[in-house]
Amino acid sequence: FLGLDAARMGHAVGIALAQPPYPLAPAFFGPDSKALLAAGPLVDGMRAASLAAAGLTGADDVLGAPDGMLARLGPKPFRFPFSAFGTSWVTDSLTYKMYPGCAYVDTGVDAMTEIRGMFAEKNGRALMPEDVASIRVEATMFTCGMEAMGAPHRLRGRLRAIDVNFSVGLSLGVLLVCGAVDAETLSPSSLAKNRAAIERIDSLTSLELDPALTAEVGGLKEAGIDLGAYLADGTEPASLDGADFGKFEMRFPSRVTLETTSGATFMSEVAIPVGGAGRPWAETVGGVRRKFVQNARHLDDSDDAFERVMAIDEANDVRDLVESITGGGT
């Protein structure tokens, strides 16, 4: 947006990464500080761009120098993402969350949503928490790793939204007890009111690592990027030139099996979460619109605000847009 040329863009990167922040697990999996782990670097990046536009310089080798950032990241840092600026657009792979939660929870919730539909069609009524005898979730190493990392940071005697965000069982509990996973059902009052019922569903849920599902994770190969050789023998892709991120598929599959107290079994498997890259675009747009309108009920015309957001590419001045989505600063 600032119209930086290549040299000043390089300086902006050098400034932004001059002192890179490093997230810590206790700050990420537990308290409200998680929000700052994304918001803080965003502000740093905007400030770096503004400083570079004003003429401030940054190290042009901050990434690839022997003692630069990539050397600090690990034994096999990715270098190729910092290539093909202006020719390959990662934004073509944008994914939208239909409900709050870690990306590794989404397909499990999607699968349970499908199971709820199956149950209602067969029984002529909604699936109730008391119908649940057991839930088996087969998922990838990423989902299981998330669960293992998040569990130690939960608090005894209290259920927080962030606990649900990093737990398949708790997310399914909120869905089955409250009917949806959204801002309202994850509010402190809702979680406090329904904690016992949600935790009961969690206790009935088992999470298992499935190697076959883990092997399906990826989607970059469809975009023209093969990480297999790099992870196997260190042969790194030379560049992102020619990569088509519009073909990327965000696959984090989960298979959910529900056994009811009456002995019936329902199973559903979802590979790409609703709203994820690789799902039908019309489905994603519809889901994003519903979520936006639901969470913008304070606005006089949430549909108009949504259309303004969708047309941001044609906006010459974003002040009207900001006013329309903030209710005039309220």
Side-chain angles (χ1 to χ4, degrees):
F1 286 127
L2 293 175
L4 303 182
D5 57 19
R8 290 198 172 181
M9 180 64 79
H11 287 309
V13 173
I15 296 168
L17 301 181
Q19 187 171 288
Y22 190 90
L24 300 176
F28 185 82
F29 287 100
D32 296 334
S33 57
K34 178 181 186 296
L36 300 179
L37 299 185
L42 176 63
V43 174
D44 289 341
M46 295 171 66
R47 180 178 62 179
S50 296
L51 292 172
L56 195 74
T57 61
D60 58 8
D61 60 347
V62 70
L63 285 169
D67 54 353
M69 180 179 175
L70 291 175
R72 300 279 183 174
L73 289 181
K76 288 187 176 183
F78 287 172
R79 292 176 175 83
F80 64 91
F82 302 96
S83 64
F85 287 117
T87 59
S88 292
W89 297 91
V90 181
T91 45
D92 289 337
S93 66
L94 280 178
T95 289
Y96 303 84
K97 290 189 178 183
M98 295 298 107
Y99 32 78
C102 178
Y104 307 143
V105 167
D106 289 355
T107 50
V109 174
D110 289 332
M112 181 56 75
T113 299
E114 292 185 356
I115 288 174
R116 293 177 74 211
M118 297 176 195
F119 181 94
E121 183 176 354
K122 179 178 179 180
N123 295 279
R125 64 175 180 85
L127 175 66
M128 304 301 292
E130 51 267 28
D131 292 316
V132 177
S134 67
I135 301 172
R136 179 188 183 194
V137 180
E138 300 163 275
T140 71
M141 61 180 287
F142 298 96
T143 300
C144 295
M146 168 212 69
E147 193 89 28
M149 292 183 71
H153 300 286
R154 297 175 195 156
L155 299 178
R156 290 182 177 272
R158 181 182 170 194
L159 184 60
R160 302 168 297 176
I162 199 165
D163 300 326
V164 180
N165 292 162
F166 291 114
S167 170
V168 174
L170 291 174
S171 293
L172 297 184
V174 171
L175 176 64
L176 293 175
V177 173
C178 304
V181 182
D182 56 26
E184 185 174 342
T185 61
L186 290 179
S187 67
S189 59
S190 178
L191 291 178
K193 175 184 176 182
N194 298 294
R195 181 169 71 90
I198 293 170
E199 291 180 341
R200 175 183 171 274
I201 295 296
D202 179 46
S203 70
L204 297 174
T205 302
S206 63
L207 177 62
E208 302 175 15
L209 170 62
D210 187 303
L213 293 179
T214 300
E216 294 181 26
V217 172
L220 281 174
K221 186 174 290 187
E222 288 77 5
I225 305 165
D226 186 1
L227 294 183
Y230 179 57
L231 298 175
D233 58 23
T235 304
E236 183 177 8
S239 170
L240 289 180
D241 280 324
D244 182 359
F245 286 96
K247 296 180 180 178
F248 170 71
E249 296 180 353
M250 184 189 157
R251 293 196 300 266
F252 289 105
S254 295
R255 183 185 304 114
V256 177
T257 304
L258 167 72
E259 183 176 343
T260 69
T261 51
S262 65
T265 299
F266 298 85
M267 189 274 286
S268 176
E269 181 176 328
V270 176
I272 302 174
V274 175
R279 298 280 294 210
W281 180 241
E283 174 191 74
T284 296
V285 172
V288 170
R289 175 186 285 276
R290 287 190 297 273
K291 181 177 180 181
F292 183 94
V293 170
Q294 178 185 359
N295 289 282
R297 287 172 290 188
H298 63 288
L299 301 179
D300 293 334
D301 192 340
S302 56
D303 284 302
D304 176 68
F306 180 81
E307 294 302 334
R308 287 172 179 263
V309 173
M310 293 298 289
I312 190 173
D313 288 350
E314 291 88 43
N316 294 319
D317 190 329
V318 298
R319 283 176 290 188
D320 288 343
L321 168 62
V322 171
E323 184 173 350
S324 71
I325 63 178
T326 59
T330 57

